Amino acid sequence: MRVELKEFQATAVTALATKLQSMRRRYEQDGEVSSICLASPTGSGKTIMCAATIEALFFGDDDLGLMPDENAVVLWLSDSPSLNEQTLVRFANASDRLASSLADGRHLVTVTNDFCASRDMLEPRHVYFLSKDLLSKNGLLTKGGEANSGRVFWDVVDNTIKDPERNLYLFIDEAHRGLGKGSPKAGDTATIYANLIDGLDDRSPVPIVVGISATPQKFETAMERRADRVRMPRVPVTPREVQESGLLKDVIELRVPEKDDPLEHQYLTMACKRYVQACDSWEVYCVQEGESHVNPLLLVQAEDNISPATLVGMCDQIMSLVPGLNEATSFANVFGEHKDISAGKYLITYVEPEFVQETSRVRVLFAKEAVSNGWDCPRAEVIFSQRRRSDSTYIAQLVGRMVRTPLARRVESDDLLNSVACYLPGFNPESTKDVVDYLMGRKDDMGESSIGSQNIVLNPVTVTAKEPRTWEDYQRELEAYEKNKKAIERFEAARRGEPAPLSEAPVHDVAGSQAEDPTRPVPVVPSEGHGATDQLDIDSATSEGDEMPEASGGKTPAADSLMAPIPMSEPKPPTEQEQVFTSEEWRGIREAFDSIPVQRIPKKARNEFRSLLDTASLLVESGLDPAAASDVNHQFVQKFDGFIVAYGDEYEVERHEVEVAETVRITLDKLHGSETSEQEEAQTDAEGLRKAARDADIKFCKEFTQSYRRANFRELGRPECDLRLASAVRTEPIVGALEKWAADCRKGYFDKVEGAGDYDYLSDAHKQKYDELARETEGKRLTRMEWPRNASVSDNFEKYPRHIVMKEDGLCPLDLDEAERLIVETELARERTVAFYRNPSGSMSAKAFSIPYMSSVGRKALHPDFLFFARDAEGKIWPSIVDPHADFLGDTLAKLRGYVAYLRDYPDVFKQVLFVGVVDDGKYRVLNLLKPEVQEAIDNYSDVDCKALFYGSFASDYH
C-alpha cells in the first residue's frame, strides 16, 4: 500500500480479510454461500480499507499476517459509473500492487457495454468495476447481441463461479442502496442486485458477498431474508475510532443569521475572509513543520438555476477579497451539465469530482447539490451556500464530505486547521436543526451515515489564549512606534539627500529608562555608484539633536547603503481579555498547566516485531537515531541465533518436523492376501522450505527475516536459512524470547528519547506517530498537554470570566449543565482562584487532560471536567481538579480507582482534587481524593453502586 493504514483501518482490514478466507474455505468444503458487511462511517476511508483488503486477498500481507488467495476475483458493484471511476482512481492511488499508475490496467478493469465480446470468465487477481445500469433489461450486456459475441454478462459470472480455479468475491459499494426486499418470492420483483447475488434464472449464486456501507441495516436485513445464505457478523468501525485517529476535522462551524434578513453578500464576504485566514494558517504551518503544501479550497454551493450574471458578481466579489486568484484558472465547477462556463471575464471550467483534490490550480469550486456520491475533498476548508432551508439534506451531505483532514491527522498547534467553516445565509437557527441532526447522526434521509462525532458549532467565535498587556505596555509600544516613524523619516530624507529633520529628545518609558530601539535594520540594495560597505547610523547621528551630515553635492554619504528600519504596526490599546491576568499570574498559570502529567493509555502491540521496526523507522525519519533501523536488524540476527542455541532441544524437535515429511507406506499383496505398512521419511525440498518459512515472514516481519537471510546466505544458503526460520517460528520458547527482546528494545528507545527530552523537538506528524507507538510500550509513558492557543466555540452559550481561552471581551462562552455551572460559579467566587480551564470532554486532542482507568471492557480514559488554578498562601499558583458527576453510572467506581492510582503516582502535582457527586436530595457532596483515608476507602469499597461513599463520613458537603 502507498498509504499507511490507521490502526482502526488495519484492524478492520485484518478482520475482514481473515473472515473472507474462512468464508471461502466453507464454500469450498460444503458449498455454503455467505455475506458480510464492512460497517464504517463516512470519512473513515472505506475505499482505502477495501483496497487494502483486496490487495491482501490477491497478494497476501506479511504485516497483517494474511495469506493470499491466488484464485481470487473481485467484482465491484455500485449504482453509479462516476462512483466507480472515483473508486478506481482511489484504488490506483492507494495500492502500488493493484496499479503502478492510473494508466495501469493489469488488475483494475472497468466493465463496459462490450465487455463480454472477448471474455467468457473473469480472471483471477482482477477487480472488475461494474455499474448496475449496465445490467438493465435493455442493456447490451444482458442482450447477448453482436457487440458481445452473443454472450451475456450473467453467463460470464456463472462460468466464473463454477470454475474451480476461480474464487469470486462480490463487493457492493454503498450497499444500503438498490437492494430488493430479500430472496425473490412469488409476485416480488427481483432487483438487479438480487439477480446478481442469487443467480438469475437458476444460475449459481455468488459465493461471497461483501457489503460496504455506513448504514448496514438494509443490507444485512436483505441478506438475512435469503434462507440459503449465511450472514456473518459485520466488521464494525465506530465513529469514535475515526475521530480519534485524526482523519476527520474536529469542529464543524455553522454560521446562520438570527433573522430572515438578506445577508448573502455579507456572508460571502465573511466566507472569503475565513478562507484567506485558512490559506495563511496552512502556509505558516506547512513551512514550520516541513509538510507538503496544503492548497485550501473555497466551495460555493449555488442555487439550481444560477445565472451567468450572478456567477460574475460572485466571482468579482471573491476576486476582490482573496489574493492570488486568476480569472482563467482558479475557478471551476462540478455542475451536472459537465460543461465549462464562460461568465464575463471568468472561465469556470468543469472538473470531474474525483480530480478536484489533485487539481491544485482550482481554489474556488462551484457546486449545486452534494457533488456526487462518495466524493470528498480534504482540502475543502470553507463552504458558502446559496441553498435555502428546504435543502438541508444537500447542505449536510456536502458538509459531510468536507470533513477529511488534509494531512490525514490532527493539527495540534492550531485548532483553526481542525475545523470546516460553513456560511448559510439562507438558514436561521431553527431551520439549521435539520443540518445539525443529520451531521450528528439523528437523521438519515439519503441513506448516508453521519460523520457522528464532530463538535457542531452554531454561530462560532474564536477564543484565544493571549499574553497579558497593560496600559503601561501600550504606552511603551506607542512611544516605540513614534520613534520608529521618526527613524523612517530620517532614513527617507537621507535616501533623498535632504537634510534630516531635527531629532527630538530620546524617548523614555514610564519607568524613566530609555525605550528599546525599535529601528531594527534590514539591508538595502545599493544603487549604482555606491558601495555596500559604508554604513551610516542615522539614529546615532542625530541622537543629540544634530542634523544629518551632508556630503559634497548635497547628498548624504553612502545614503543608498543605509540599513532601513522595519516599519512597525501602530499598536492598539489593550483589550479586556489582555487585562484579565497580570504577567505574573499568566506565568504561574502556564507553569501549573505544564506541570500536569498525562499518562498515555497503553495498548497491546498487534505485533511486537512490527512495532519495533516502526519505532526504528520513526527514529531514523525524525533524525533522533539515524542508525536505529540497521541496529535492530543486526540485533535480530544475533538474538535469533542465540535463542536457537539457548532452546536447542525444543528447536530440534520442530526442525525435524519441518525438514522431514513422515509418511506411512501401505503395501497390499493381492497374491497372498496380505497387508504391510512401513514408516518412510521424505526430505522437504527447497520450495517446501520456502513455503514453510512464510510463517516466519509473517510473524517476525519480512524485514527481519530478510536481514537474517542476507546475513547467512553465503555461509548457509537459502534452503538452510528458510529451514531455521520455519523451525524457530514453530518453537514457542524462541518466539516468546524474541518477542520479549523486541518489547525491551522498543522500551529502551523510548526511555532514551524521553530521558533526553527529544520529544519536544519532534514535528507534529512525528509526535503523533511517536504517541501511537509509545502506547504499545511497557512502562508509564507520560506526555504533557498542549497549551490551548485557540478554539472555535458557539457564541450562543452563557459567558464566563477568567477562562484560559477567551474572546476579546474577556469572557468565554461555555455549554454547561446545572452541576457544572454551580461548580464554576462556586470556584470563581473563591478569592484564591486565578483561572480555570474547561477540559475538552472525551477528546483525544493533545489539549485534553485524561486519566486512564480499567473498565469492564478494558483500559479507557476519563476526562475531568475542570482544571482550576489557585494561589496558595505563598503566592504560588497550583492546578486543582474539580469534577462534578450528576449521575452515578456503572463505571463511577472504576473511574474513582483510576483517580486514586494516578494520584498515588503523582501526589504532589495538584493542590486539590475534588470529585463532586449529586445525591438524591439534590445536595452536592464531595470526596477529596488527595486524602489517604479517602483513597483507602475507595480501594476497599465493594458495592457496584458507589453512591454510599458520598453519604458516609469520607464525604462532605460541597459549598
Side-chain angles (χ1 to χ4, degrees):
M1 293 290 289
R2 292 189 180 93
V3 299
E4 182 178 357
L5 298 178
K6 296 288 186 180
E7 181 188 354
F8 77 86
Q9 293 174 327
T11 300
V13 168
T14 302
L16 180 58
T18 301
K19 287 185 178 181
L20 291 179
Q21 290 176 343
S22 173
M23 293 159 70
R24 184 199 75 227
R25 287 193 295 269
R26 290 164 70 167
Y27 176 74
E28 292 171 345
Q29 291 167 3
D30 57 18
E32 177 184 283
V33 297
S34 55
S35 68
I36 192 170
C37 184
L38 173 62
S40 191
T42 303
S44 59
K46 293 189 291 291
T47 307
I48 298 298
M49 287 186 276
C50 288
T53 300
I54 293 170
E55 184 183 277
L57 274 180
F58 288 0
F59 308 105
D61 190 310
D62 293 338
D63 290 342
L64 300 178
L66 299 172
M67 300 294 286
D69 175 6
E70 297 178 355
N71 296 326
V73 182
V74 170
L75 181 59
W76 184 277
L77 177 65
S78 85
D79 63 353
S80 165
S82 63
L83 182 56
N84 276 345
E85 291 173 12
Q86 294 169 42
T87 304
L88 189 152
V89 170
R90 289 184 191 172
F91 274 27
N93 289 334
S95 172
D96 53 345
R97 304 188 77 176
L98 293 179
S100 59
S101 67
L102 285 177
D104 181 3
R106 287 175 300 164
H107 301 289
L108 305 177
V109 179
T110 299
V111 176
T112 57
N113 275 319
D114 58 352
F115 177 83
C116 302
S118 57
R119 300 174 178 87
D120 59 2
M121 282 192 292
L122 304 178
E123 294 300 319
R125 287 187 172 176
H126 282 66
V127 184
Y128 295 93
F129 294 92
L130 172 68
S131 171
K132 73 173 181 64
D133 296 336
L134 295 179
L135 298 182
S136 65
K137 291 181 179 179
N138 298 320
L140 294 179
L141 289 181
T142 61
K143 285 185 173 181
E146 184 178 346
N148 285 289
S149 302
R151 300 187 187 95
V152 295
F153 190 79
W154 305 115
D155 288 335
V156 172
V157 173
D158 191 51
N159 294 338
T160 304
I161 295 170
K162 291 176 177 177
D163 189 294
E165 301 300 319
R166 286 164 171 79
N167 298 321
L168 180 63
Y169 301 81
L170 173 62
F171 281 67
I172 304 178
D173 198 5
E174 304 292 354
H176 51 271
R177 297 200 296 259
L179 283 169
K181 293 184 178 180
S183 180
K185 300 178 181 178
D188 287 347
T189 302
T191 65
I192 293 173
Y193 280 42
N195 288 338
L196 195 55
I197 292 168
D198 302 323
L200 179 66
D201 296 336
D202 295 325
R203 291 180 176 87
S204 302
V206 172
I208 299 169
V209 179
V210 183
I212 307 146
S213 179
T215 52
Q217 293 81 6
K218 292 180 182 178
F219 170 76
E220 291 183 335
T221 298
M223 295 298 105
E224 283 176 348
R225 289 174 176 167
R226 288 165 162 80
D228 296 330
R229 188 171 294 274
V230 175
R231 183 178 72 81
M232 303 294 288
R234 70 177 64 161
V235 175
V237 174
T238 67
R240 182 176 179 82
E241 288 177 307
V242 183
Q243 198 68 52
E244 289 177 351
S245 74
L247 272 182
L248 303 183
K249 292 169 183 171
D250 292 329
V251 175
I252 299 173
E253 302 175 357
L254 302 178
R255 288 174 172 83
V256 296
E258 291 189 8
K259 300 178 181 179
D260 292 332
D261 295 329
L263 298 174
E264 194 170 287
H265 182 90
Q266 181 180 340
Y267 266 53
L268 181 55
T269 296
M270 293 163 59
C272 290
K273 290 180 178 179
R274 175 66 163 75
Y275 173 68
V276 171
Q277 185 183 10
C279 292
D280 293 343
S281 296
W282 273 117
E283 179 70 24
V284 170
Y285 180 81
C286 290
V287 170
Q288 288 177 343
E289 295 293 323
E291 291 283 357
S292 55
H293 178 64
V294 173
N295 184 30
L297 183 75
L298 171 62
L299 186 55
V300 179
Q301 191 179 33
E303 56 192 3
D304 288 336
N305 298 313
I306 188 168
S307 67
T310 302
L311 281 173
V312 170
M314 295 176 76
C315 291
D316 283 341
Q317 186 177 352
I318 295 169
M319 282 285 293
S320 68
L321 295 165
V322 179
L325 298 183
N326 182 286
E327 297 97 332
T329 60
S330 297
F331 297 88
N333 80 84
V334 285
F335 293 166
E337 294 80 3
H338 293 205
K339 294 180 180 179
D340 295 345
I341 299 172
S342 181
K345 63 181 178 180
Y346 301 101
L347 177 60
I348 307 173
T349 56
Y350 173 77
V351 177
E352 294 191 29
E354 59 267 30
F355 296 115
V356 171
Q357 174 68 18
E358 289 75 28
T359 311
S360 58
R361 67 170 178 82
V362 176
R363 296 184 60 197
V364 181
L365 181 69
F366 288 92
K368 287 184 179 177
E369 296 181 356
V371 187
S372 67
N373 293 317
W375 178 83
D376 64 4
C377 187
R379 67 185 182 96
E381 293 281 316
V382 180
I383 175 175
F384 166 81
S385 179
Q386 285 188 311
R387 311 298 292 202
R388 303 300 167 187
R389 64 193 63 175
S390 59
D391 298 330
S392 59
T393 298
Y394 291 143
I395 293 173
Q397 287 182 329
L398 188 54
V399 173
R401 294 181 183 132
M402 292 174 58
V403 296
R404 295 283 287 275
T405 51
L407 301 177
R409 62 174 175 81
R410 183 176 287 106
V411 174
E412 300 294 357
S413 59
D414 190 346
D415 278 345
L416 176 79
L417 304 183
N418 297 318
S419 64
V420 55
C422 312
Y423 294 82
L424 312 176
F427 277 64
N428 57 36
E430 183 179 350
S431 59
T432 308
K433 184 178 184 300
D434 284 341
V435 179
V436 174
D437 284 347
Y438 178 91
L439 294 173
M440 294 301 289
R442 297 188 290 263
K443 188 173 183 178
D444 185 22
D445 287 347
M446 302 294 288
E448 298 257 359
S449 173
S450 73
I451 37 194
S453 298
Q454 272 84 359
N455 179 20
I456 311 296
V457 181
L458 285 175
N459 294 326
V461 292
T462 299
V463 291
T464 59
K466 282 191 177 180
E467 296 269 353
R469 282 175 72 230
T470 65
W471 283 99
E472 289 79 8
D473 295 328
Y474 170 63
Q475 184 62 34
R476 283 192 291 269
E477 294 165 2
L478 196 60
E479 291 168 349
Y481 171 72
E482 293 297 333
K483 183 177 180 182
N484 176 262
K485 280 177 59 178
K486 290 181 171 57
I488 293 172
E489 291 173 4
R490 292 194 296 271
F491 173 80
E492 293 300 330
R495 289 291 300 265
R496 294 191 298 269
E498 300 172 357
L502 290 176
S503 174
E504 298 179 0
V507 179
H508 293 270
D509 65 17
V510 294
S513 60
Q514 187 165 324
E516 183 181 349
D517 185 1
T519 57
R520 294 173 295 163
V522 292
V524 178
V525 179
S527 303
E528 185 179 353
H530 293 280
T533 55
D534 296 328
Q535 298 285 329
L536 178 61
D537 188 336
I538 301 175
D539 204 39
S540 63
T542 61
S543 61
E544 300 301 325
D546 298 331
E547 290 189 359
M548 182 71 68
E550 293 187 7
S552 59
K555 216 174 177 188
T556 304
D560 287 334
S561 64
L562 296 175
M563 301 297 286
I566 297 177
M568 294 175 61
S569 300
E570 184 173 1
K572 296 180 180 179
T575 63
E576 293 292 329
Q577 175 188 10
E578 291 170 325
Q579 299 177 75
V580 170
F581 305 111
T582 67
S583 295
E584 182 183 2
E585 288 173 337
W586 192 249
R587 284 192 297 272
I589 294 167
R590 283 296 305 263
E591 289 173 4
F593 188 95
D594 293 340
S595 72
I596 301 172
V598 180
Q599 288 183 357
R600 298 183 178 95
I601 301 175
K603 65 176 182 179
K604 181 175 175 58
R606 188 170 63 247
N607 180 297
E608 293 289 356
F609 306 100
R610 170 49 51 201
S611 291
L612 176 57
L613 287 169
D614 288 345
T615 300
S617 297
L618 173 63
L619 295 174
V620 173
E621 291 171 10
S622 63
L624 294 181
D625 189 344
S630 59
D631 286 349
V632 297
N633 278 281
H634 178 67
Q635 287 184 55
F636 176 83
V637 174
Q638 290 184 319
K639 295 291 182 182
F640 186 90
D641 285 334
F643 291 139
I644 285 179
V645 174
Y647 300 101
D649 292 343
E650 297 92 332
Y651 169 80
E652 289 299 333
V653 171
E654 299 298 336
R655 180 184 173 101
H656 180 76
E657 292 291 327
V658 175
E659 190 175 21
V660 176
E662 294 186 351
T663 62
V664 176
R665 186 181 68 182
I666 301 173
T667 305
L668 302 179
D669 188 339
K670 299 283 287 183
L671 179 63
H672 299 93
S674 63
E675 175 186 332
T676 60
S677 61
E678 183 180 355
Q679 294 285 119
E680 290 186 342
E681 291 184 348
Q683 290 292 123
T684 306
D685 62 12
E687 183 60 26
L689 294 174
R690 186 187 300 265
K691 290 182 177 180
R694 179 69 188 274
D695 292 336
D697 293 337
I698 293 173
K699 181 64 179 178
F700 299 139
C701 293
K702 202 163 189 175
E703 186 173 338
F704 277 146
T705 56
Q706 288 293 76
S707 292
Y708 185 82
R709 292 182 179 104
R710 285 192 295 268
N712 293 283
F713 182 79
R714 289 181 179 275
E715 179 182 350
L716 302 177
R718 174 66 185 261
E720 176 63 21
C721 290
D722 286 338
L723 175 58
R724 294 189 180 189
L725 288 167
S727 304
V729 78
R730 290 163 171 79
T731 307
E732 289 187 10
I734 293 179
V735 173
L738 284 170
E739 286 183 328
K740 185 177 185 307
W741 159 77
D744 291 344
C745 186
R746 193 170 72 251
K747 180 178 182 298
Y749 278 126
F750 281 105
D751 288 344
K752 181 179 178 182
V753 169
E754 291 170 14
D758 292 332
Y759 175 84
D760 294 334
Y761 298 93
L762 295 174
S763 67
D764 269 8
H766 287 147
K767 279 182 179 177
Q768 291 191 22
K769 184 65 175 177
Y770 182 98
D771 289 342
E772 292 171 8
L773 291 167
R775 289 175 59 197
E776 300 177 357
T777 306
E778 289 185 2
K780 291 177 179 176
R781 299 288 153 191
L782 297 181
T783 185
R784 303 284 173 179
M785 288 186 291
E786 289 275 350
W787 178 253
R789 294 179 176 83
N790 54 52
S792 183
V793 299
S794 174
D795 202 30
N796 296 345
F797 301 122
E798 190 172 345
K799 282 76 172 174
Y800 296 87
R802 287 187 278 165
H803 193 264
I804 286 178
V805 289
M806 296 175 280
K807 300 192 301 176
E808 289 196 347
D809 62 4
L811 300 174
C812 180
L814 294 175
D815 183 15
L816 305 182
D817 62 28
E818 182 180 353
E820 293 167 342
R821 192 160 48 247
L822 178 111
I823 294 295
V824 170
E825 291 172 352
T826 302
E827 295 300 322
L828 288 181
R830 305 189 198 281
E831 187 175 344
R832 63 176 178 264
T833 301
V834 178
F836 80 106
Y837 179 58
R838 170 64 146 148
N839 191 36
S841 177
S843 172
M844 289 299 292
S845 167
K847 301 174 186 65
F849 172 49
S850 63
I851 295 175
Y853 73 98
M854 183 61 70
S855 74
S856 59
V857 295
R859 301 280 280 188
K860 296 179 72 174
L862 66 92
H863 295 80
D865 284 332
F866 299 107
L867 293 172
F868 288 91
F869 300 88
R871 188 184 286 106
D872 66 10
E874 286 75 34
K876 180 180 177 180
I877 295 177
W878 291 80
S880 293
I881 297 173
V882 185
D883 194 7
H885 287 260
D887 298 313
F888 291 92
L889 304 176
D891 63 349
T892 301
L893 182 60
K895 289 180 177 179
L896 284 169
R897 287 177 174 161
Y899 263 115
V900 170
Y902 173 82
L903 294 173
R904 283 175 176 158
D905 287 335
Y906 313 103
D908 302 321
V909 173
F910 297 95
K911 196 67 173 177
Q912 205 173 44
V913 178
L914 303 180
F915 195 97
V916 182
V918 184
V919 293
D920 291 336
D921 55 5
K923 285 186 178 181
Y924 289 79
R925 300 276 289 173
V926 59
L927 292 172
N928 187 338
L929 298 183
L930 285 177
K931 290 184 176 182
E933 60 270 24
V934 175
Q935 295 180 0
E936 186 176 351
I938 291 171
D939 284 340
N940 296 332
Y941 195 79
S942 58
D943 198 346
V944 176
D945 184 0
C946 64
K947 190 178 295 186
L949 279 170
F950 292 83
Y951 284 106
S953 60
F954 297 106
S956 57
D957 290 339
Y958 176 77
H959 49 76

